[in-house]
Amino acid sequence: MNQRIWALLASSFKTILLPGLTVTIPLTIISFSFALVIATITAIVQVKKINILKQLARFYIWIIRGTPLLVQLFVVFYGLPSLGIILDPFPAAVIVFSINEGAYAAEIIRAAIEAVDKGQTEAGVCLGLSYVQTMRYIVLPQAFKIAFPSLSNSLIAMVKDTSLAANITVCEMFMKTQQIVARTYEALALYLLVGFIYLIFCTVLTKLQSWGEKKLSKAY
């Protein structure tokens, strides 16, 4: 690389990093938080085995897991306006990422709930707790401990998946990189740079995952 490219990388680093901190990370955190709520409800519905609700949950999971995330983004952002539903780019991305991740996380949490000893539920009943209380205070805390590594991996994957939001004009760090590339024509160097920034984000999350697993192992 010549001096010009190094200078471009140095000046572009902050320009790309800022949308990463102000858009990419918030988009990931907000979407993943909503996804966990969706996933938990969907998982409990399946475990509870209320037939109609269970079938609806399975249908939701089937549709979302069987279609590309990019197609889902296009349907919501570019398709819904034909029905009179117009969303801004960021809320549209949050909705799609939440629903998409919710389907995958639902299966993780369902498996984790089923992995909790049945005696735990029976113990809750013996203590006079309702089903909701038993799930909240006894089963779910243990299930989330079991699911924590897989959910953490999903969160890390979502950080990278947010780059797809550039396709619906969310100005996150990948779109910002594309704008700089269009102006400078230095695609290789700049895409390597944004890849490096994604790597930094994911490395930090991986370290937090390791720390969280150690904390959870001591908590129970």
Side-chain angles (χ1 to χ4, degrees), residues 16-71:
I16 296 172
L17 179 62
L18 186 59
L21 295 174
T22 59
V23 181
T24 299
I25 295 302
L27 175 58
T28 302
I29 293 173
I30 295 170
S31 299
F32 196 75
S33 299
F34 283 130
L36 285 181
V37 175
I38 295 170
T40 302
I41 294 171
T42 305
I44 292 174
V45 163
Q46 293 183 85
V47 172
K48 186 63 175 173
K49 297 180 180 178
I50 301 173
N51 193 47
I52 296 177
L53 294 179
K54 181 179 179 180
Q55 292 305 316
L56 288 173
R58 296 306 305 169
F59 181 75
Y60 154 63
I61 292 170
W62 172 62
I63 290 292
I64 297 303
R65 293 176 65 180
T67 55
L69 175 57
L70 184 58
V71 172

Side-chain angles (χ1 to χ4, degrees), residues 153-170:
N153 290 335
S154 296
L155 175 61
I156 293 170
M158 183 181 278
V159 172
K160 295 174 286 185
D161 288 342
T162 56
S163 60
L164 293 174
N167 290 281
I168 61 169
T169 70
V170 176

Side-chain angles (χ1 to χ4, degrees), residues 137-199:
Y137 296 112
I138 298 177
V139 177
L140 285 180
Q142 297 179 65
F144 276 111
K145 178 191 174 184
I146 296 169
F148 183 80
S150 296
L151 291 175
S152 297
N153 290 335
S154 296
L155 175 61
I156 293 170
M158 183 181 278
V159 172
K160 295 174 286 185
D161 288 342
T162 56
S163 60
L164 293 174
N167 290 281
I168 61 169
T169 70
V170 176
C171 194
E172 42 71 69
M173 63 182 182
F174 185 70
M175 184 176 183
K176 180 59 68 174
T177 304
Q178 290 179 309
Q179 292 172 349
I180 300 174
V181 169
R183 187 174 69 249
T184 63
Y185 300 101
E186 292 294 346
L188 178 60
L190 288 166
Y191 285 138
L192 286 174
L193 175 61
V194 73
F196 175 68
I197 296 174
Y198 277 113
L199 179 61

